Amino acid sequence: EAGVVQSPRYKIIEKKQPVAFWCNPISGHNTLYWYRQNLGQGPELLIRYENEEAVDDSQLPKDRFSAERLKGVDSTLKIQPAELGDSAVYLCASSLAPPNTQYFGPGTRLTVL
Amino acid sequence: AQSVTQLDSHVSVSEGTPVLLRCNYSSSYSPSLFWYVQHPNKGLQLLLKYTSAATLVKGINGFEAEFKKSETSFHLTKPSAHMSDAAEYFCVVSDQNQGGKLIFGQGTELSVKP
């Protein structure tokens, strides 16, 4: 069974540029999560989807971050404009309905110059 | 509020010796606890989880953890370290009041010397 797929794996951009990350969850998993992992720290939840509905986006910086999960499958996380402090690894995870085990993708490492 | 504290940021052991990674948790009710491992440039992989069944939990690759309510601890152990165990390990608690939101510790980097 295929795991959580994320792309790109690495992204380097100049500050103030836009960037987007894509995630394809495990087939049949209706819950999808985006986490941000800063260097030397554990991941922190940005947003959680149940199907196509964002049910917890309290930690998402809404002034520059946006996310969508059209049709309740794939998801895209966008940053516009990017800032230096956004450099991090962005992880996507999926699960059956909580509190089932979350399975993580390999992440996208973003570097903002 | 739920939280976890990993007591060591870095642990170094020799190959073939025991591994102990320490974690304390804080929870207002019976927690769900996990250990995840992260190898360089790889995604997080679940090692094991505790969900109020047996207090001694066995995971993959020979790891196990013991839930001790009296000590609010969930330490990860392995009898004999292998070179491939070198990685970052995260102790995690699930907040059931927030849809199973995972709250991660700061991580412990495990080094294994030949």
Side-chain angles (χ1 to χ4, degrees):
Chain A
E1 177 181 308
V4 176
V5 179
Q6 291 187 247
S7 69
R9 292 293 312 277
Y10 305 90
K11 190 73 176 180
I12 301 173
I13 61 172
E14 299 278 338
K15 64 180 180 182
K16 301 185 181 179
Q17 294 298 306
V19 64
F21 315 124
W22 175 80
C23 173
N24 178 244
I26 292 173
S27 178
H29 283 189
N30 61 325
T31 307
L32 184 145
Y33 312 77
W34 282 103
Y35 289 83
R36 177 169 60 189
Q37 184 176 18
N38 292 315
L39 186 65
Q41 297 182 22
E44 295 180 323
L45 181 69
L46 291 174
I47 190 168
R48 172 169 66 96
Y49 281 93
E50 297 287 346
N51 299 304
E52 63 273 12
E53 181 183 0
V55 296
D56 182 0
D57 63 355
S58 57
Q59 302 302 312
L60 190 72
K62 298 180 182 65
D63 56 336
R64 297 182 299 105
F65 286 65
S66 65
E68 61 182 11
R69 192 184 184 198
L70 301 176
K71 301 181 181 179
V73 182
D74 295 358
S75 177
T76 302
L77 178 68
K78 298 178 181 178
I79 308 174
Q80 184 171 10
E83 297 179 351
L84 295 177
D86 296 330
S87 295
V89 176
Y90 292 82
L91 295 162
C92 180
S94 71
S95 73
L96 299 172
N100 283 283
T101 298
Q102 297 181 30
Y103 296 89
F104 286 80
T108 297
R109 182 178 298 276
L110 173 67
T111 301
V112 182
L113 302 175
Chain B
Q2 311 266 59
S3 68
V4 289
T5 301
Q6 293 184 242
L7 302 176
D8 307 290
S9 59
H10 185 258
V11 170
S12 182
V13 301
S14 297
E15 190 175 22
T17 64
V19 175
L20 170 63
L21 304 184
R22 299 182 296 164
C23 173
N24 287 349
Y25 70 90
S26 174
S27 175
S28 54
Y29 42 82
S30 183
S32 293
L33 293 162
F34 309 78
W35 277 97
Y36 278 84
V37 61
Q38 187 175 37
H39 288 91
N41 300 315
K42 297 280 185 68
L44 287 154
Q45 181 183 20
L46 180 68
L47 277 178
L48 50 81
K49 64 179 178 180
Y50 167 77
T51 55
S52 75
T55 56
L56 183 62
V57 183
K58 293 188 182 299
I60 61 172
N61 300 334
F63 285 94
E64 63 182 34
E66 185 171 9
F67 174 75
K68 291 187 176 180
K69 185 176 181 179
S70 61
E71 299 176 9
T72 61
S73 69
F74 190 58
H75 301 336
L76 181 70
T77 60
K78 182 173 180 178
S80 177
H82 191 272
M83 295 297 291
S84 61
D85 294 328
E88 188 86 16
Y89 291 79
F90 292 95
C91 182
V92 184
V93 64
S94 172
D95 191 333
Q96 297 166 23
N97 282 343
Q98 295 191 55
K101 172 182 175 180
L102 295 184
I103 299 168
F104 285 75
Q106 292 288 86
T108 297
E109 183 182 0
L110 176 65
S111 299
V112 182
K113 298 174 291 186

